[in-house]
Amino acid sequence: MTTVLDSRLLNDVLRDILSPYDLPPVEDVATRRQLARTLLSGRDNGSFDGLALAYAVIAFCASTEDGAAEVLDVVRDNADALVLDGTRGGYVLLPCAHDQQVALARDLHDRLGADVWMGVAWASRRDLPSARATTEDVLRIASGRAPGVYELRNVLADFAVLRQPHVAERLTRMIEPVVAQQPLLDALRAFISEDGNRAAAARRLDIHRSTLDHRLRLVERLTGCRPTSPRALLTLSVALTAHSALEVPLPATY
């Protein structure tokens, strides 16, 4: 026959055994950080009770430390959010149904006042390490563009090149002569930003259209790619990404 004392002792033992696997309180920042690190590194053995079955994985970086801190402030009161933060970047894990990850990331981004770049993907718990790697590469590409939320389909061609180092190296060598001449680099970037519209690109640079045409011809001479060809312009755009993609300031997950 079990006494009241025996029952209390049993409950105390069970609580001590199970407590490491319960979802920690929101104020326990260190534990939540360690949970995020465990999930993103692939060391999750499925024993963590109370965690979601799938997450939106958001890799982010900010132009300043204050901007990164603002991201943390925005998600601080979300009891389900797991965050692994660094100095100017980090990861946010938010429980998420499939196809809702971009909306969640955009809602988070819309609440920020700082310049912040985000790469987002969706994954079940067992696939979180793969999603983390994808968002890292998406973020590397996005960091050379306007602040905002990016997913794989937004940067697909650039992503494919970054995953092939020998191709990225070849494109980097091709574009280096253009990068070395700032007027040509500015002209090419403006032309890309305006989707090949020469009049709009000239206005963006505040130069005459004939000046832009001259610089684009020099780009063609140096690279062998004619910017006014859509296919060649995509190649030049990807080459710029390969040359300028930065290592984003993300914390280690191992």
Side-chain angles (χ1 to χ4, degrees), residues 32-53:
R32 286 188 173 277
R33 184 180 292 119
Q34 186 55 48
L35 268 175
R37 190 187 304 276
T38 299
L39 294 176
L40 291 171
S41 66
R43 298 196 302 272
D44 174 24
N45 59 12
S47 62
F48 296 107
D49 294 335
L51 296 186
L53 297 178

Side-chain angles (χ1 to χ4, degrees), residues 97-155:
H98 191 245
D99 291 335
Q100 296 299 311
Q101 67 275 10
V102 175
L104 276 175
R106 285 178 178 160
D107 177 67
L108 173 58
H109 194 273
D110 288 345
R111 295 157 64 189
L112 302 172
D115 285 344
V116 176
W117 293 258
M118 293 180 174
V120 59
W122 178 91
S124 62
R125 274 174 59 179
R126 68 179 180 180
D127 293 328
L128 288 175
S130 176
R132 185 212 75 228
T134 296
T135 60
E136 287 175 0
D137 281 343
V138 170
L139 185 59
R140 285 180 61 202
I141 297 165
S143 62
R145 304 184 182 185
V149 175
Y150 295 82
E151 56 180 327
L152 180 56
R153 64 180 177 179
N154 302 137
V155 295

Side-chain angles (χ1 to χ4, degrees), residues 4 11 15 20 78 86 124 143 155 167 199-201 217-218 221 236 240:
V4 173
N11 286 338
R15 186 174 61 251
N78 186 332
S124 62
S143 62
V155 295
V167 177
R217 284 195 296 271
L218 291 177
R221 188 178 305 168
L236 290 166
L240 284 177

